[in-house]
């Protein structure tokens, strides 16, 4: 395997063509105060695998593809199964 950085995260947006936004969360202990710190970072990644919102993906570092995009989706670890109509029907029944 090569020396490229690999990270896992969740897809938060797929509205662009062949580009997804992946949120990478990291949990670590602060070196001085020993408090648990949660940090997250959002990166744009090139997508040829047709990812959906909520999918857990592994991204790999690549050459710069555009101004903000230098990651590529390597594989989809876990697919998110959601229906688009689930939340809409519940919302309209509550207002009646």
């Amino acid at each position: 395997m090569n020396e490229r950085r690999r990270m896992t995260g969740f897809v938060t947006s797929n509205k662009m063509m062949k580009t997804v936004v992946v949120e990478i969360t990291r949990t670590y202990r602060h070196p001085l105060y020993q408090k648990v710190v949660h940090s997250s970072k959002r990166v744009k990644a090139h997508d040829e695998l047709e990812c959906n919102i909520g999918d857990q993906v592994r991204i790999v570092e690549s050459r710069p593809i555009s101004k903000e995009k230098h990651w590529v989706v390597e594989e989809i670890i876990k697919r998110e199964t959601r229906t688009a109509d689930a939340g809409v029907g519940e919302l309209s029944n509550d207002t009646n």
Side-chain angles (χ1 to χ4, degrees), residues 18-70:
K18 293 192 177 180
T19 304
V20 292
V21 178
V22 179
E23 185 167 357
I24 302 161
T25 57
R26 180 174 164 240
T27 304
Y28 62 96
R29 192 167 291 276
H30 191 277
L32 178 61
Y33 300 116
Q34 300 300 312
K35 182 178 172 121
V36 176
V37 180
H38 304 281
S39 67
S40 63
K41 179 173 27 172
R42 293 166 60 103
V43 296
K44 292 186 173 91
H46 186 69
D47 175 32
E48 294 283 342
L49 304 176
E50 299 295 326
C51 299
N52 293 322
I53 295 174
D55 290 351
Q56 185 177 9
V57 294
R58 176 180 294 130
I59 58 175
V60 61
E61 194 175 33
S62 72
R63 64 176 179 79
I65 298 169
S66 68
K67 180 181 176 182
E68 297 179 335
K69 188 165 66 165
H70 33 266

